[in-house]
Amino acid sequence: MATERQVNKPEKTKLPPVAALSALEAAAEVAELHRQIRRHDILYHQKDAPEISDAAYDALRRRLEEIEQAFPALAAKDSPTQNVGARPAREFAKVRHTVPMLSLANSFSDEDVTDFVARVRKFLLLPETAKLELLAEPKIDGLSCSLRYEKGILVKAATRGDGEEGEDVTLNIKTISSIPQKIPKDAPEILEVRGEVYITRRDFEKLNKTQEAVGEKIFANPRNAAAGSLRQLDPRITAQRPLRFFGYALGEVSKDISSSQDGIRQKLAKWGFEVPEPAAVVDSAEKLLKFHAKIYEERPTIAYDLDGVVYKVDSLDYQKRLGFISRSPRWATAHKFPAEQAETILHKIVIQVGRTGTLTPVAELEPINVGGVIVSRATLHNEDEMTRKDIRAGDYVIIQRAGDVIPQVVRSLPEKRKKSSKPFVFPDHCPDCGSRAVREEGEVAKRCTGGLVCPAQAVERLRHFVSRLAFDIEGLGDKIIREFWDEKWLKTPGDIFRLAKYADILKEREGWGEQSVINLLEAIEERRTISLERFIYALGIRQVGQATAKKLAQRYENLENLLSQMKECKDREGEAFQALMDIEDIGPAVAEDVVNFFAEPHNQRVIKDLQSELTIKNYERPKTAQSPVTGKTVIFTGTLSKMGREEAKAQAESLGAKIGSSVSKNTDYVIAGEDAGSKLKKARELGVRILSEDEWLGIIQ
Ligand code: IVH
């Protein structure tokens, strides 16, 4: 849930022992306890704004139970003690998206946009004379959702979540009046409409005024207000919020509704959805840029917050051919507006230690509103950047924030600097464990050499391990991890799955209580089964993000195979290492990091320990029909004539083939176009089967 657990102290008023109460006193106290417990239930479940800790709440219930036992006549049927289970899980059910909800690649400059259009044209091998139409429309700064209609009726609504699995917000979505509950008969039997839940700027101001008047939480910006309003466990609260929805894409559909993106827009509008306005279909990068400039200028007059413009290839045929690259479509890009800047005071420079030991300077700022978001910390990147910009504690600084990236300090204003100010001296020891911090050749940052003894690194690794895209364990927040680490309950990831043994001690802790311990342990239990890709990502291997983790899972399919192949990789000349480097996007540097990670004895122990606690699911290949090239490793070389190299690779992948990057004995086919060079030669040397483009097409068709 959005609200952090409140850790107010339980009231310490001394209550008389139950045995000392007269029947009259007991009755009065029972009535008061009913009133209090009900009030806290409402605050907790319906308002998402608890005022007391779970421990204090449990104490109230325990007191009531004690009195009811001593005075059975006072145990009313409607007593709060009669609903067992107390506070139900504060979570939404999960929904798996049948078609993943992806994100968009970003463009920041005009050049990025021209590159995008050129890339699309090249991929599709469009001759200069051929027209390429693109739809441009505002990028709404809200919360993406997928609405599923079956036989014309809205049956399910889910948030994006990690793109594969979101939260079931059906009841909440049904309270939004601009969302059709039913769509006409001509709509396909299954239709998922994807779009953005948002609040207009005017409604946001009004909402905050109401919130203030009733002493409720003030939202920082319309996006937060929309997110907070949608993610309410009680839909009655959502119903009171001015939420709206823009439809801009489709998920699963049982039948195509149009052959163009603009056609989809029009159909959605006809069926009663709001669609982002203004929009335009244009045929060149220049016209896209003009549209962007116009929207940027009009931005202050547009009713809702937008953070850029989205460009989408209009033809759905082209979209299909272009497909996806890791988590975003090749056929679209988000052209962001320039970053918003503001001036503030930098109070202090602190050094943060990352999970791989990197020391990052961070500025603690006088909090300031930058484009609707309150910023109180900003990154200073690294020692060199900071020295180059001569940024010091006490300086007035310009900070900037663009979209969802971390706010940054752009420069300081030395003219406003006090005479006594001194340059910051970057430490040569880790601020947490005191080990030496060194900067290796070619690196931009100093790294703590404390390794396994450094608490900051260990805690950061654990944080990463439980983070949303990894194990996603709700309730194990940053502070709690550090607390458990200091207690020595949590040293390595495997310890998370053994926390139950501290349940009794934890229950008695201030800020905890029976129910919150149960909630935490349940959240942990739920994650004992995990997908291979999440598992790999959670390990926190340097340079291995979500996309690379998925690629590794795809290639090795199960943990045992991955581990044994990594052992084989010791021989950097061998086939296993070659196969690792054959994975798209894994170059020599990433491959080194991956292999070194698995070769490290400590990491081996961590993994072994986790294997004994977890069920790690084998990678599930999306159900593409078997094709003659499923599982084959293929390499394209030279110029192809029927389609671009990128499209040929994407097509091969969609048929289940693996794309290699350099020819080895593991390669099944080398498809040689015109002017093929060294790869063709190597294939001949190794006796790998060589195909012409036509022979290849013959096999796959
Ligand atoms: S199209 C395959 N159109 O921006 C993805 N997205 O930063 C198709 N967004 O995840 C998305 N306005 O939640 C599209 N007009 C618009 C949008 C839009 C906002 C969101 C969307 C996406 C995110 C990426």
Side-chain angles (χ1 to χ4, degrees):
M1 269 321 290
T3 324
E4 277 178 32
R5 216 160 51 80
Q6 305 274 313
V7 281
N8 294 354
K9 290 184 182 153
E11 280 176 43
K12 285 271 154 58
T13 32
K14 265 254 171 282
L15 292 166
V18 170
L21 294 176
S22 70
L24 209 59
E25 284 166 338
E29 199 180 329
V30 164
E32 175 59 18
L33 284 167
H34 280 200
R35 195 189 63 74
Q36 282 189 26
I37 293 171
R38 294 226 165 86
R39 177 164 171 273
H40 291 305
D41 278 344
I42 291 172
L43 285 170
Y44 185 93
H45 292 301
Q46 298 178 15
K47 304 239 160 99
D48 194 20
E51 280 180 5
I52 58 171
S53 69
D54 287 354
Y57 175 86
D58 289 342
L60 291 176
R61 291 183 63 103
R62 265 202 309 275
R63 174 83 180 171
L64 179 59
E65 272 164 16
E66 273 180 50
I67 302 179
E68 286 177 348
Q69 266 166 24
F71 300 89
L74 295 177
K77 266 210 195 90
D78 64 348
S79 164
T81 55
Q82 295 310 299
N83 49 29
V84 268
R87 300 181 173 193
R90 307 181 61 204
E91 261 189 42
F92 291 97
K94 300 272 195 252
V95 179
R96 250 203 120 64
H97 300 299
T98 43
V99 176
M101 285 183 81
L102 300 147
S103 54
L104 292 170
N106 289 327
S107 299
F108 295 100
S109 64
D110 290 4
E111 200 190 342
D112 289 347
V113 177
T114 15
D115 285 353
F116 162 71
V117 176
R119 252 194 333 269
V120 168
R121 296 191 71 102
K122 182 167 171 226
F123 187 102
L124 298 169
L125 276 195
L126 289 183
E128 259 173 50
T129 47
K131 209 168 175 172
L132 174 70
E133 293 199 303
L134 297 132
L135 172 86
E137 68 184 8
K139 180 172 187 309
I140 307 106
D141 199 8
L143 189 82
S144 46
C145 266
S146 183
L147 317 180
R148 187 178 174 92
Y149 291 81
E150 286 177 9
K151 298 200 172 94
I153 294 171
L154 174 59
V155 291
K156 187 102 347 309
T159 60
R160 186 184 133 140
D162 64 1
E164 309 275 342
E165 194 179 77
E167 289 179 325
D168 186 339
V169 287
T170 312
L171 296 175
N172 303 31
I173 284 288
K174 284 192 168 177
T175 69
I176 302 178
S177 54
S178 72
I179 292 180
Q181 304 278 325
K182 278 190 189 164
I183 50 175
K185 291 251 158 18
D186 60 330
E189 211 175 308
I190 296 174
L191 176 80
E192 278 179 14
V193 179
R194 296 205 165 153
E196 209 84 355
V197 171
Y198 73 101
I199 288 183
T200 65
R201 277 205 297 272
R202 239 171 106 190
D203 283 339
F204 162 73
E205 305 288 342
K206 273 203 258 171
L207 172 63
N208 262 355
K209 280 208 184 101
T210 326
Q211 292 284 100
E212 199 177 351
V214 295
E216 294 273 351
K217 181 178 161 185
I218 304 291
F219 297 103
N221 53 48
R223 207 202 94 83
N224 285 4
S229 301
L230 184 66
R231 297 185 74 250
Q232 288 286 338
L233 284 174
D234 183 351
R236 283 172 295 184
I237 299 179
T238 310
Q240 293 159 15
R241 303 285 172 81
L243 292 172
R244 308 176 75 99
F245 178 84
F246 273 132
Y248 51 62
L250 300 179
E252 186 183 349
V253 280
S254 52
K255 203 171 92 213
D256 288 341
I257 63 169
S258 170
S259 60
S260 72
Q261 190 69 39
D262 194 41
I264 293 177
R265 263 179 75 84
Q266 288 172 22
K267 272 272 165 67
L268 290 181
K270 196 179 109 198
W271 290 335
F273 293 91
E274 276 191 78
V275 292
E277 300 281 3
V281 179
V282 301
D283 61 5
S284 72
E286 293 73 48
K287 289 180 191 159
L288 291 177
L289 295 175
K290 266 203 190 124
F291 182 86
H292 186 265
K294 180 170 150 269
I295 299 280
Y296 186 55
E297 206 169 290
E298 287 172 4
R299 188 182 186 187
T301 64
I302 296 179
Y304 52 87
D305 271 1
L306 58 162
D307 56 352
V309 175
V310 183
Y311 308 138
K312 306 173 190 177
V313 169
D314 194 46
S315 149
L316 298 190
D317 271 346
Y318 283 169
Q319 285 191 7
K320 256 188 218 125
R321 283 176 57 189
L322 285 154
F324 301 86
I325 183 149
S326 80
R327 311 199 73 79
S328 28
R330 275 197 200 83
W331 44 264
T333 186
H335 188 182
K336 294 296 191 71
F337 289 144
E340 307 227 25
Q341 298 197 334
E343 183 184 324
T344 188
I345 303 170
L346 187 161
H347 289 307
K348 199 174 159 196
I349 295 171
V350 294
I351 302 292
Q352 236 173 33
V353 187
R355 64 168 203 268
T356 55
T358 312
L359 304 193
T360 306
V362 174
E364 288 188 352
L365 308 164
E366 179 62 30
I368 183 158
N369 187 327
V370 194
V373 171
I374 308 292
V375 174
S376 55
R377 281 163 83 83
T379 177
L380 288 158
H381 299 290
N382 54 51
E383 185 177 5
D384 284 359
E385 277 272 307
M386 216 174 82
T387 319
R388 192 173 57 76
K389 295 177 179 166
D390 187 21
I391 289 164
R392 309 177 182 186
D395 277 357
Y396 280 82
V397 289
I398 302 292
I399 59 162
Q400 75 175 21
R401 196 199 122 240
D404 30 15
V405 301
I406 304 168
Q408 343 171 324
V409 177
V410 185
R411 62 192 163 93
S412 71
L413 304 170
E415 61 279 12
K416 289 192 174 180
R417 184 178 276 167
K418 281 201 199 117
K419 282 226 174 69
S420 56
S421 134
K422 289 198 182 64
F424 182 77
V425 182
F426 206 90
D428 49 15
H429 283 85
C430 170
D432 203 320
C433 71
S435 304
R436 248 168 13 96
V438 295
R439 191 162 151 186
E440 279 161 34
E441 223 182 279
E443 299 255 327
V444 289
K446 274 192 182 139
R447 205 179 284 280
C448 158
T449 54
L452 299 175
V453 304
C454 176
Q457 286 186 48
V459 168
E460 281 307 314
R461 280 195 296 269
L462 288 163
R463 280 182 188 155
H464 173 79
F465 189 85
V466 303
S467 64
R468 197 170 64 90
L469 298 173
F471 272 69
D472 190 20
I473 298 178
E474 213 163 322
L476 259 188
D478 291 1
K479 278 204 197 107
I480 296 177
I481 289 186
R482 181 76 202 211
E483 187 185 324
F484 289 2
W485 203 88
D486 289 339
E487 286 288 355
K488 302 199 169 50
W489 294 353
L490 213 50
K491 285 284 167 201
T492 101
D495 292 338
I496 294 170
F497 301 92
R498 295 183 285 268
L499 278 173
K501 60 183 173 209
Y502 305 110
D504 287 338
I505 313 179
L506 196 53
K507 266 193 288 210
E508 302 306 321
R509 289 253 169 129
E510 201 170 298
W512 288 87
E514 181 132 13
Q515 196 57 46
S516 34
V517 175
I518 292 174
N519 288 351
L520 175 63
L521 295 179
E522 275 177 0
I524 293 171
E525 276 320 297
E526 260 178 42
R527 299 294 174 198
R528 247 183 226 278
T529 302
I530 193 95
S531 68
L532 179 60
E533 54 191 286
R534 272 184 185 261
F535 180 81
I536 297 174
Y537 173 73
L539 293 174
I541 307 167
R542 269 175 80 184
Q543 306 199 66
V544 176
Q546 202 191 4
T548 310
K550 185 165 183 176
K551 293 236 160 87
L552 288 166
Q554 260 165 355
R555 175 60 57 106
Y556 297 106
E557 295 186 350
N558 62 65
L559 184 61
E560 291 67 31
N561 184 34
L562 170 69
L563 297 178
S564 76
Q565 289 302 306
M566 290 302 112
K567 260 196 204 132
E568 300 281 319
C569 283
K570 248 190 231 135
D571 172 12
R572 299 293 198 264
E573 304 299 320
E575 281 180 26
F577 192 69
Q578 189 56 52
L580 173 63
M581 295 226 294
D582 276 350
I583 302 176
E584 212 185 349
D585 296 341
I586 297 195
V590 181
E592 276 299 322
D593 280 340
V594 172
V595 175
N596 289 339
F597 179 92
F598 288 100
E600 161 70 47
H602 168 76
N603 293 335
Q604 291 171 357
R605 280 196 298 275
V606 166
I607 294 171
K608 201 156 181 211
D609 179 31
L610 282 167
Q611 278 179 296
S612 71
E613 296 289 346
L614 303 173
T615 308
I616 301 158
K617 287 189 290 183
N618 295 350
Y619 179 78
E620 266 176 55
R621 229 161 254 298
K623 286 187 188 58
T624 44
Q626 283 280 323
S627 84
V629 296
T630 306
K632 301 269 190 246
T633 301
V634 305
I635 289 180
F636 293 90
T637 181
T639 314
L640 305 176
S641 63
K642 304 269 163 43
M643 56 177 87
R645 172 114 50 102
E646 287 309 307
E647 182 172 6
K649 280 199 217 169
Q651 185 190 39
E653 270 186 327
S654 73
L655 293 169
K658 304 178 205 164
I659 307 298
S661 48
S662 56
V663 183
S664 72
K665 272 194 281 176
N666 299 331
T667 314
D668 294 293
Y669 303 126
V670 166
I671 298 101
E674 244 176 77
D675 299 327
S678 61
K679 285 185 184 165
L680 179 59
K681 196 168 147 242
K682 182 98 188 266
R684 283 199 186 114
E685 279 165 23
L686 294 175
V688 172
R689 191 159 166 212
I690 299 161
L691 302 173
S692 70
E693 188 181 359
D694 284 338
E695 283 171 323
W696 163 253
L697 291 175
I699 292 183
I700 61 174
Q701 268 152 17

